[in-house]
Amino acid sequence: MTRTMRTQTNAQAHREPTDDLGGLATSFADIGARLWHLFISMRTGLALMLGLAALGLIGTLLAQADPALQGDRQAYAAWLESVRPRYGGWTGVLDALGLFTIFSSIWFRGIIVLLATSVLACSANRAPHLWRLAVHPRTNVGESFFAHAPLSASIASPTDPDVALAEVRAAFRARHFRTIVSRDGDTLHLYADRFRWGPFGTVIAHLSLILILAGALIGTAWGFRNNGLAVPVGSRVEVGYGTGLSIEAKSFTDSYYTNGSPSDFTSDLVLYRDGAQVAAQTIRVNEPLRAGDVSVYQSFYGAAAVMKVADPTGMVVFDRGVPLEWTSRDGKHRVGQFILPDAGLTAYVIGVASGEVDPQIKPGQMRIEVYASGSEGSLIASESVSQGRPTKIAGLDFTFVRERQFTGLIVARDPGAVLVWIGASLLVFGISLVFLFPSRRAWALIRRRPNGSSIQIGAIVRHEITFQSDFKRLVDEVELALTGPSGA
Amino acid sequence: MLNMSEYGLISGIISIGLALGCYVLATVLARLARRQTVMAGAGAGGGTIAIGQRGASNLAAYGTLLVYLGLVFISASLVFRTIASGRGPFANMYEFSVAFAWGILVVYASFERRYKQRALGLVALPIALALLLYAMTIPSAIDPLVPALQNNLLLSAHVAVAIVAYGTFSISFAAAILHLIQGENGRRSLPSRELLDEISYKAVVIGFPFLTLTIALGAVWADLAWGTYWSWDPKETASLVTWLIYGSYLHARVIRGWRGKRATWFLVLGFGATLFTYFGNLFFGGLHSYSGLS
Ligand code: HEM
C-alpha cells in the first residue's frame, strides 16, 4: 500500500520539462519536486546511511589526528610526519582528501546535512499519512480488497449477518484489537486494528536523530572543552573561557594494585567563581564534579615544580606550582612553562624524566630557561637551579621550592548535551515502540445471503509470517462458532 | 571458584561440540533417508528409511538437549566467575568471548524453540564454539580493573546489552547464510526463504534496539569517565558503523524488490561489522583498549 504509493510518486517525478512561458516557474517547481522526491526516496536514505558507514569505517582504519591538532598547523604537520612512514606516498593524498580528520571533513559534514534533510523530509512526508491511518482509518473496503490482501479468508455462515458480525468482532476483541463497525444497507463492515500508534515510533526515532545532531551542533558552537588543565597540588588555576571559575587542587592521590596497574586516581578540588568558593569535591575517574553547566573530570597527572620568583626589591612576583606537562621530543625531559607578565618574560622549567640522566641537571635540580615573551622571544638566560637555593637569572631570583604532583583535569561545558540525552532516550524509545508494538490492521465484509451470510476477512501485515498463523486461528475460531464443528 | 568456572567452560564446550555433532549427523541422515526415498520409491527399503528418519529426529532432539546443557554449563561458568571477581564477567577479552558465545546460544535456543529450525544451529553453533575455543586460548586471569572501568553498574549494563545485540545479530547472520545457500525454489532441505527472512528480521528487530541502547549507555559512560559523550574512538565508531548497517537493512527491506537476497547481504555485512567491532580492541588501541591481551 504505502510502499507502492511511494514508488509510484518516485516515477512521476521524472516529468518532461516544459518550454512554454511559464516554463521558468514550472522548472523551479519541478526542481523543487525532484529534490523533494529525491530526499524522501528510501534509496537516497540508504545511500546516505551507507555512505556515513563507509566514512566511519575509514575513520577506524586510518589513523586520525587529534582534533586539538587541527587548529595548529605546525603540530598537525608534525603529526603528519609521524604517520608518513605508515602511509608513504599516500600521506599527501589522504591528507588532501581530509581523511586524517575525517569526522570534520567536508564529506562527513555533507553527508550529515543530507541525511538530516532526508530524515526530516521522510518524516514530514510520512507523519500525516500515519496520523490518518491511526485516527481516520478507512473502515470499509470493497470486494477487491480481499482478493489482493496478503491474508484473507471467506466463511459461509448459516446465521444472520449480525450474529456473524458479533462473532468476528468478538474474535478480534479477544486479540485486543480495536473494532469499528459500519453499516451499508444489508452489508456490514468491520474494521479492526491493533497498536495503531506503534508506527509513530519511526517518526519519534527519526526526529530524535535530528535532536541529537542539534545537540552536537549546539555543543560545538557554544560549549568549550579543555582536555588538559594541569593544576599543581596546592595551587589555583583559572579555567578561562569567560567562566570566571578557578580550580584549586588540595591534594592528588594515585594508588596502585600489587601488580602495578593503577587502581584509583583522586583529586580534592575546590572550585571558585570570582574568588568565592562554589563547590568542593573529591573527584575520580567516573566521578566528575558538576557545578552548574561546567563539569570537571579526572584525566591525567604528573609532576610539578613549585617555583618562587622575586624581583630585585625582594617582592615575590610568582609563587606557584608549574606542571611539567610536556615531554621533550627525545623523551628525556619533562617541561613546564610560566609567564612573568610584568617582566615580559616567559620561563621554562625543565626536569629530567624518570629513569633518564642529564649531566646538566642533577638530581634535586631544575633547569630554568628564560625567554622574552612574544612569538620571536629569544633566549635571555638559562641556569640549573638547586632545590631551595635562590638563583639570579635575568635579574630575578628564581627558587625551585620543591617538587609536587599536579592533577590533570578535563574541564568542559556542553550546553547541547541535554538535547543529546533527550534525543538518545527518544531514539531508544521510538525504536522499541515500532518493534514492540507492530501495528496490525484487518477488515471484514459481511453480506446477507439466501441461506445465511457470507463473511470475508482480510488483513494487512507489515512483515510477519507469525501473524499468519494467528490469523488462521482467528478464522477457524469464527468458523467454528458460527457453523459448529465443520464436517462433523 | 575460578576452577569451577573453568570446568563449566570446558563442559560447555564439550556439550556444544556434541550438540553440533548431533545436528550435523542428523542432517546427513535425514538427507540420506530422503535420497533413498526418492530412489526406492514406495517399495523396498522402507524399513531403513524409517530408521534413518527416526534416527535423525532422535539425534536432533539430543542435539537440542545438549545445547541446553551447554548453556547451563556456560551460565554456571559465568556465575562462578562473577562470584570470584565480584563484578560482572564483562571486563576483558576472555570474559567478552564467553559472554558473546553465551548470548549466541541463548538467542539460538529461544529461536529454535520458536521456529523449530535446527538448520540455524549448523551456522550459529560453530560461531559460538569458535568463540569459546578462542576464549580457552587467551589469558583468563582476573586482573583488577583500571579506574575507567570501575563502574560496576554501567560496565555490566553496557556489555550485557551489547551481548544480547551481538547474539541476535549472529542468529540473523545464520539465517542469512542459509538464505543465500537456499536455492531459488527452496529445493534444498532448508527452511523456506520467507521463513529465513522472517527469522533474520525478527532477530534484528530485537538486536537493533539493544545495539542502540548499548551505544547510548556507552555515551553515558564516556561522558562520566572521559568527559564527553562521543569522541570518535575507533570502537565507538565501529559500533556506529554496525548500527548504520543494520539501520540500512531495516530500510532496504521495505524497498520494493529488495526484500530477500539483497537485504540478506546487508545482514552478512552487518555481522562482519559486528565482528569487526568486537575484535576491534585487539588492533584499534584507543580508549577501549581493555582486552587484557597486550
Ligand atoms: C540513521 C538514520 C535512520 C535511522 C536510525 C532510522 C530508523 C528507522 C527505524 C528504526 C525504522 C523502523 C523500521 C521498521 O519498521 O522495520 C524506520 C523506518 C522508516 N524510515 Fe528510517 N531511519 C533513518 C534514516 C531514514 C532516512 C534517511 C529516511 C528517508 C529516506 C528514512 C525513512 C524511513 C521510512 C519511510 C520508514 C518507514 C518504513 C516502513 O515501514 O514503511 N529513514 N527508520
Side-chain angles (χ1 to χ4, degrees):
Chain A
M1 21 146 255
T2 52
R3 232 155 273 145
T4 341
M5 270 164 42
R6 220 177 305 119
T7 24
Q8 277 164 0
T9 42
N10 271 341
Q12 281 162 9
H14 304 288
R15 264 172 285 154
E16 290 298 313
T18 49
D19 58 357
D20 52 83
L21 272 181
L24 198 61
T26 341
S27 65
F28 271 127
D30 200 48
I31 291 173
R34 277 178 194 225
L35 272 179
W36 172 254
H37 287 298
L38 184 67
F39 277 117
I40 62 171
S41 154
M42 205 60 131
R43 285 186 166 80
T44 309
L46 206 59
L48 290 172
M49 281 191 251
L50 290 177
L52 196 58
L55 291 189
L57 189 62
I58 296 174
T60 58
L61 294 178
L62 217 54
Q64 294 292 303
D66 189 325
L69 291 181
Q70 278 164 267
D72 186 342
R73 290 301 322 163
Q74 229 178 334
Y76 181 72
W79 180 86
L80 216 51
E81 286 314 308
S82 75
V83 295
R84 197 176 290 278
R86 197 161 3 142
Y87 300 113
W90 289 100
T91 313
V93 180
L94 295 173
D95 175 44
L97 289 174
L99 299 189
F100 288 129
T101 50
I102 201 157
F103 301 112
S104 50
S105 69
I106 177 94
W107 318 115
F108 180 78
R109 291 189 174 154
I111 287 190
I112 290 282
V113 169
L114 292 178
L115 191 63
T117 313
S118 178
V119 164
L120 277 174
C122 282
S123 307
N125 182 46
R126 207 168 146 75
H129 174 69
L130 291 178
W131 179 259
R132 262 196 317 279
L133 283 187
V135 179
H136 307 293
R138 180 159 174 200
T139 52
N140 56 2
V141 291
E143 288 289 345
S144 65
F145 167 79
F146 298 96
H148 298 114
L151 295 178
S152 67
S154 48
I155 303 169
S157 165
T159 66
D160 196 61
D162 280 295
V163 177
L165 174 73
E167 238 9 279
V168 178
R169 191 173 193 177
F172 275 110
R173 284 211 167 149
R175 288 169 174 75
H176 310 285
F177 277 64
R178 170 181 78 144
T179 55
I180 298 175
V181 170
S182 54
R183 211 171 269 274
D184 176 7
D186 247 359
T187 307
L188 298 176
H189 296 279
L190 175 92
Y191 167 76
D193 66 15
R194 184 160 192 219
F195 299 141
R196 69 201 142 112
W197 300 112
F200 280 91
T202 57
V203 179
I204 297 176
H206 288 147
L207 294 184
S208 65
L209 291 173
I210 302 293
L211 221 52
I212 291 175
L213 289 179
L217 208 62
I218 290 175
T220 321
W222 288 289
F224 71 80
R225 182 177 172 77
N226 182 349
N227 271 330
L229 187 72
V231 183
V233 171
S235 298
R236 200 200 280 194
V237 172
E238 303 281 336
V239 169
Y241 301 98
T243 55
L245 293 173
S246 54
I247 299 175
E248 179 184 351
K250 293 260 186 217
S251 71
F252 172 80
T253 319
D254 48 331
S255 350
Y256 298 85
Y257 297 111
T258 44
N259 72 356
S261 73
S263 66
D264 204 6
F265 303 123
T266 62
S267 301
D268 267 324
L269 300 184
V270 182
L271 193 68
Y272 302 88
R273 173 169 279 130
D274 302 324
Q277 178 174 334
V278 287
Q281 185 185 322
T282 302
I283 67 162
R284 42 163 53 88
V285 183
N286 278 320
E287 283 175 30
L289 183 164
R290 313 243 187 220
D293 55 358
V294 173
S295 306
V296 183
Y297 304 86
Q298 180 69 59
S299 180
F300 59 106
Y301 66 94
V306 178
M307 296 298 304
K308 193 183 242 177
V309 182
D311 68 8
T313 68
M315 194 174 84
V316 174
V317 293
F318 184 90
D319 181 10
R320 235 183 298 153
V322 178
L324 306 180
E325 48 188 320
W326 301 297
T327 306
S328 62
R329 206 159 277 171
D330 59 10
K332 291 190 173 158
H333 297 96
R334 295 166 300 149
V335 183
Q337 176 229 48
F338 63 98
I339 294 173
L340 300 166
D342 290 339
L345 298 176
T346 301
Y348 286 89
V349 184
I350 301 160
V352 180
S354 63
E356 301 286 343
V357 268
D358 180 342
Q360 287 203 358
I361 310 172
K362 302 193 175 59
Q365 285 193 327
M366 288 286 160
R367 186 160 188 86
I368 307 295
E369 293 184 355
V370 179
Y371 291 79
S373 288
S375 54
E376 302 293 307
S378 52
L379 180 63
I380 293 176
S382 76
E383 199 82 52
S384 292
V385 299
S386 300
Q387 185 170 349
R389 213 174 302 151
T391 308
K392 209 165 242 2
I393 308 172
L396 298 169
D397 275 325
F398 283 76
T399 312
F400 163 40
V401 182
R402 64 183 175 117
E403 204 167 310
R404 294 198 88 162
Q405 277 181 307
F406 75 81
T407 175
L409 307 173
I410 295 172
V411 186
R413 179 174 67 204
D414 188 347
V418 60
L419 281 187
V420 172
W421 299 131
I422 295 174
S425 312
L426 285 177
L427 182 62
V428 173
F429 171 74
I431 291 176
S432 310
L433 197 64
V434 191
F435 294 144
L436 286 178
F437 304 105
S439 75
R440 287 167 183 176
R441 305 181 321 125
W443 288 262
L445 180 63
I446 301 168
R447 294 214 155 106
R448 185 177 295 283
R449 296 287 181 217
N451 51 352
S453 48
S454 73
I455 308 171
Q456 280 175 294
I457 308 180
I460 290 178
V461 283
R462 283 181 78 241
H463 306 296
E464 316 137 280
I465 330 184
T466 25
F467 184 50
Q468 269 177 13
S469 47
D470 200 31
F471 183 80
K472 272 200 206 93
R473 266 198 302 279
L474 181 140
V475 172
D476 290 345
E477 225 173 274
V478 171
E479 190 157 26
L480 188 70
L482 290 172
T483 62
S486 58
Chain B
M1 276 304 164
L2 271 186
N3 277 343
M4 300 284 279
S5 173
E6 193 83 351
Y7 297 151
L9 180 61
I10 294 170
S11 316
I13 292 177
I14 294 172
S15 309
I16 300 301
L18 287 175
L20 182 59
C22 286
Y23 282 15
V24 170
L25 251 168
T27 311
V28 171
L29 275 182
R31 261 211 131 132
L32 285 179
R34 233 188 330 272
R35 190 168 301 161
Q36 281 175 0
T37 322
V38 174
M39 291 194 305
T48 37
I49 295 164
I51 291 168
Q53 276 164 346
R54 191 155 1 99
S57 68
N58 277 345
L59 262 176
Y62 282 125
T64 301
L65 277 181
L66 282 165
V67 170
Y68 292 157
L69 191 65
L71 206 45
V72 169
F73 281 133
I74 294 167
S75 309
S77 169
L78 288 171
V79 168
F80 286 131
R81 204 167 161 92
T82 304
I83 297 172
S85 66
R87 54 169 164 78
F90 304 123
N92 58 30
M93 208 58 192
Y94 170 87
E95 293 174 335
F96 294 148
S97 303
V98 178
F100 188 172
W102 182 86
I104 295 175
L105 292 171
V106 168
V107 178
Y108 171 70
S110 63
F111 271 67
E112 191 198 288
R113 266 186 88 90
R114 170 135 184 220
Y115 292 96
K116 312 267 181 290
Q117 301 300 332
R118 290 197 177 89
L120 286 175
L122 292 176
V123 184
L125 295 185
I127 300 175
L129 201 56
L131 281 164
L132 292 172
L133 289 171
Y134 170 66
M136 293 291 289
T137 66
I138 57 181
S140 66
I142 296 181
D143 282 331
L145 294 181
V146 299
L149 286 184
Q150 292 170 14
N151 187 321
N152 221 333
L153 184 66
L154 272 172
L155 171 67
S156 302
H158 176 60
V159 184
V161 170
I163 291 304
V164 176
Y166 291 2
T168 57
F169 291 155
S170 310
I171 299 308
S172 78
F173 171 73
I177 291 295
L178 297 182
H179 190 289
L180 293 174
I181 295 175
Q182 173 68 289
E184 202 58 61
N185 307 316
R187 272 170 289 122
R188 297 187 209 212
S189 53
L190 293 175
S192 74
R193 286 184 159 187
E194 287 72 30
L195 185 57
L196 289 168
D197 192 54
E198 164 150 344
I199 291 174
S200 303
Y201 176 70
K202 274 285 151 65
V204 174
V205 154
I206 302 168
F208 191 66
F210 272 88
L211 182 61
T212 312
L213 194 58
T214 305
I215 297 176
L217 286 171
V220 170
W221 194 2
D223 187 56
L224 265 187
W226 304 327
T228 174
Y229 53 81
W230 197 264
S231 46
W232 297 109
D233 166 71
K235 184 123 178 162
E236 242 169 41
T237 310
S239 68
L240 182 69
V241 170
T242 308
W243 185 76
L244 285 167
I245 293 174
Y246 282 105
S248 305
Y249 161 78
L250 290 173
H251 290 77
R253 70 191 294 291
V254 301
I255 296 180
R256 271 188 134 197
W258 279 51
R259 187 175 303 188
K261 211 157 188 163
R262 266 200 212 179
T264 300
W265 279 109
F266 280 80
L267 296 169
V268 176
L269 199 63
F271 190 63
T274 306
L275 290 182
F276 178 65
T277 310
Y278 174 77
F279 285 111
N281 306 38
L282 300 183
F283 50 86
F284 289 155
L287 298 164
H288 266 93
S289 40
Y290 304 131
S291 62
L293 295 188
S294 47

